[in-house]
Amino acid sequence: MKKLLTAVSVVAGLAGLAVVGRRMGRLRLSRGRAALQLVIRGGLRYASSAPRLFAAAGEHRQQLRNDLALQTAEDVATTLGAMKGVLMKIGQMASYVGDGLSPAVRRTLSRLQDSVPPMSPELAAGVVREELGLPPEEAFARWDPEPIAAASIGQVHRAITHDGRAVAVKVQYPGIAETITADLGNVALLRRMLRITAPAQDVDALIAELRDRVLEELDYRREADNQRLVAAYYDGHPTIIVPKIIDELSTRRLVTSELADGARFAELAQWSQEERDLAAETIYRFTFRSLYDVHAFNGDPHPGNYLFHGGGRVTFLDFGLVKHFSTEELQPLVDMVRYLCVEQDPEGFRASMVNAGFLRPDAPLSTETVVEHMAVFYDTVRRPGPLTITGDYASAVVRRFFDVRSPLAQWVSVPRSYVILQRINLGLFAILGELTATADWRAIAEEIWPFMQGPPATPMGEAEAAWRAGRSSAAEPAA
Amino acid sequence: MTVDPFAAAAGLVSRSAAAYASSIPESPADEGFFGPGSVAWRVSADLSSPVAGLRALLMQALHPLAMAGVDQHSDWRQDPVGRLAATNAYLATVTFGDRGSAERVSARVRRIHEHVRGVDTVTGRAYEAGDPALLLWVHATFVQSRIVTAALFGTPLAAPDSDRYVAEMVTEAELVGVPRELVPASTADLDAYIDSVRPELRGTPAARESMDYLLDPPGLDEDMGEIWQDVRDAAVASLPAWARDIYGYTSTPLTDARRAEIHQALGVLDAVFLGEPGVLEARQRIALRARAARPA
């Protein structure tokens, strides 16, 4: 497969807001024999449970303001035109660095999201008809006209396909792509606003980047490609579940995937610590297996994108923001962790940081200072043994990340391709911290680090090793 | 003569938003003087509203007696932001409140006006805020500003809707004490009336100071200041050329791209407004009333 493109990601600001983007190459998944089998197997598995899943998804329906539903494409334009749709997308991307936003900006962005009512059943049905050529009642064996959840520029409906699979259908607001495209065609305002908060940056390059990212996200086929890739990799995994995409029902403005049901993050918080630890281990494995084996990183690990099934089984949802890494991009990260945590070679660590573009070569800092300030990001994997990730640790990581008074601050920067990885620090650890999860993270990491490929460290590790051994060689790495 | 400096404009958005949100009733006794099907409801939700408000102030201030009344009597200099928020609350109540509430707030404004009288130091003329001629000027410039700025920066009103809007607004003028028969009821009459007042208009020092303040209010944070540039440019560009000339403002012709940029800035401003507590809920209350009134 062709080398997947570099991500060009930027942190800039709109009203003090950080903007992060991503460039993704065209993803073409080889749909070989294995993929075909998955579809068949998926079909069988879901046929038996479709009615139950369909019903359960209804019970978990989000509270949506159907009484205020948008009824026409004109309503969509009024609600999301004049930059509001653009701001919403920027807000979603900026949640990579959520803790860096001022409370006022965060409030504005979240209220903006709340201010968008769902589509009326007729309006959503119109999109399905335009995309599939059939009204939803004919395109699907069963279609629930009331949405079960809101999505950033669309909403999710539950349905059952003609071959008996319970599915979630994400439907995009009609006209939103045109509205946002028009707003991004006139960038004078954005340019002025970005100059306020990103004076040092190349504002025009930044805007071009932002425009590319946002316009990409308006095409749901990319999201389907991402999810297809990740789902294929984890097929049969003992605890990681990624709903499969239904190809023939996924288009530019529709993405249809297997319906999943499970406990939400808030419910998991009430479960036993043992269950929480297992769920945390799965999330941890998913994050780093995806990064090192699939060369892909899901940039949107917020709590709403997980469903928990007990015994560590977790369903991962929403692949709208996936960053793909080339081997060359990944290597410096691998080197950094190896030098710092395994080789105990501070100079090697520093050299890798410089290689990756994180640290300026001429930084007048002692290597001890560099290590001292960077080590917090590696605290969970520097030493073997059980370790509990607390909310305090997660906050300390966030504070350190945004600490502009640190002696390192003026000498470090995050190259664009790595910006999304901030989410490991800011998102993943926040979630593990909320679960007060305990594990021997170092031992788990050693299983996953490509230069170690250590033995299974936990029962889940053993199950995962068995799964890996059984995977056919047809399932090649993605990049 | 010492002139009080103006207080800073921090809180411009939050205080206006709070005033607006608390003026949109939860359960009105009736649909008020205009109602969900009115052009007045539609126009007051238009993105151009902040520009309309600023343009109206620029026009109103050109009448020396109206300006003197504000400058000599209100707490305009001490708390300009509070004064603007109060006006916002008044307009929201008259537009979206039930008839009882609209009459109550209007009666209060009339009572306050009774004490506002004096002599304008520039023209030497005596004035009374309750003078229907002054009230009509304030009313007419506001209505015209809404129509003009919606056409330029928001959703333009078709000619019949524009006339309907002017006619609807006659009631608003009547509420503050202008006899109905004096109030223009069509767009053409409105414009003719405003032209007829031109000989009385001038840019007094109080008008210039007030408007200098409003066009570049100190104390806005940086990004709000950036947005305000667009609101200011839009308001100045939307003035009649003769009004710009009195102030000595210049305005480059509006290109389509510049208008689109201003439209975007107004959208961002609206998003900020929506982020203020209670605003989204207030808008939803209005939307639900509008929906209930819509024929099925």
Side-chain angles (χ1 to χ4, degrees), chain B residues 260-282:
Chain B
E261 183 184 349
I262 290 170
H263 183 69
Q264 291 180 345
L266 293 172
V268 174
L269 181 57
D270 194 55
V272 173
F273 195 69
L274 258 181
E276 294 293 331
V279 172
L280 175 58
E281 290 74 10

Side-chain angles (χ1 to χ4, degrees), chain A residues 15-16 65 67-71 75 82-84 87 107-108 111-112 114-115 182-183 186 188-189 192-193 196, chain B residues 47 222-223 226 230 257-258 260-261 263-265 267-268 270-271 274-276 278 280-281 284 287-288 291 294:
Chain A
R65 294 298 302 262
D67 52 347
L68 292 166
L70 303 172
Q71 292 172 336
D75 288 346
M83 292 300 283
K84 287 186 190 155
L87 285 179
R107 189 183 58 207
T108 298
R111 296 289 279 180
L112 195 56
D114 294 344
S115 75
D183 268 335
N186 186 340
L189 177 70
R192 278 167 40 215
M193 298 200 72
I196 297 177
Chain B
L47 279 185
E222 209 175 5
D223 27 85
E226 194 68 33
D230 293 301
R258 179 66 184 134
E261 183 184 349
H263 183 69
Q264 291 180 345
V268 174
D270 194 55
L274 258 181
E276 294 293 331
L280 175 58
E281 290 74 10
Q284 288 174 340
L288 286 175
R291 196 145 290 199
R294 212 182 265 183

Side-chain angles (χ1 to χ4, degrees), chain A residues 177-199:
Chain A
E178 291 75 6
T179 298
I180 289 182
T181 305
D183 268 335
L184 288 174
N186 186 340
V187 296
L189 177 70
L190 265 180
R191 186 180 289 132
R192 278 167 40 215
M193 298 200 72
L194 287 175
R195 285 224 170 89
I196 297 177
T197 39

